[in-house]
């Protein structure tokens, strides 16, 4: 079963920026998005549940600095990417 992936508006803007200015990071992101659609809790990027995320909010590494943070909705079979770029503890 494949999960569909949805994006918050801010994430869409970051993806567009990466596509133009950082093709290597964009390529890594595409691989990670494919892995998330196949299995949002396992695979590349060291997926891990975030503390306080109620077992639906996960994080994966894109690079040493950048993370993808997403919520998994099992009943509806989709994932919502809620943050991208930077590390969540930097904020």
């Amino acid at each position: 079963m494949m999960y569909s992936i949805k994006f918050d508006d801010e994430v869409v803007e970051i993806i567009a920026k990466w596509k133009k200015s950082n093709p290597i990071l964009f390529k890594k992101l595409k691989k990670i998005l494919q892995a998330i659609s196949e299995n949002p809790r396992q695979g590349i990027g060291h997926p891990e549940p975030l503390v306080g995320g109620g077992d639906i909010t996960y994080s994966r590494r894109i690079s040493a600095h950048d993370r993808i943070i997403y919520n998994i909705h099992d009943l509806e079979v989709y994932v919502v990417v809620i943050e991208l770029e930077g590390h969540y503890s930097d904020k």
Side-chain angles (χ1 to χ4, degrees):
M1 164 174 47
M2 297 283 281
Y3 284 72
S4 62
I5 298 180
K6 301 176 182 184
F7 302 94
D8 275 0
D9 292 339
E10 287 181 23
V11 171
V12 173
E13 291 174 16
I14 293 167
I15 292 171
K17 180 178 80 172
W18 284 3
K19 188 174 183 179
K20 281 184 172 183
S21 66
N22 198 335
I24 293 170
L25 202 58
F26 179 71
K27 188 175 180 180
K28 285 182 182 180
L29 175 64
K30 286 185 359 182
K31 279 185 180 178
I32 287 175
L33 289 173
Q34 178 62 40
I36 290 171
S37 71
E38 292 169 6
N39 188 337
R41 290 179 175 86
Q42 296 178 354
I44 61 174
H46 304 285
E48 60 181 343
L50 294 184
V51 174
D55 197 39
I56 69 162
T57 304
Y58 273 68
S59 170
R60 287 187 193 223
R61 292 184 201 147
I62 301 169
S63 69
H65 177 70
D66 295 299
R67 304 287 186 270
I68 181 170
I69 300 172
Y70 55 96
N71 290 332
I72 304 167
H73 301 274
D74 289 315
L75 294 177
E76 296 88 2
V77 194
Y78 71 88
V79 172
V80 178
V81 179
I82 57 173
E83 258 186 76
L84 195 63
E85 196 171 52
H87 191 279
Y88 50 88
S89 67
D90 293 346
K91 297 188 186 313

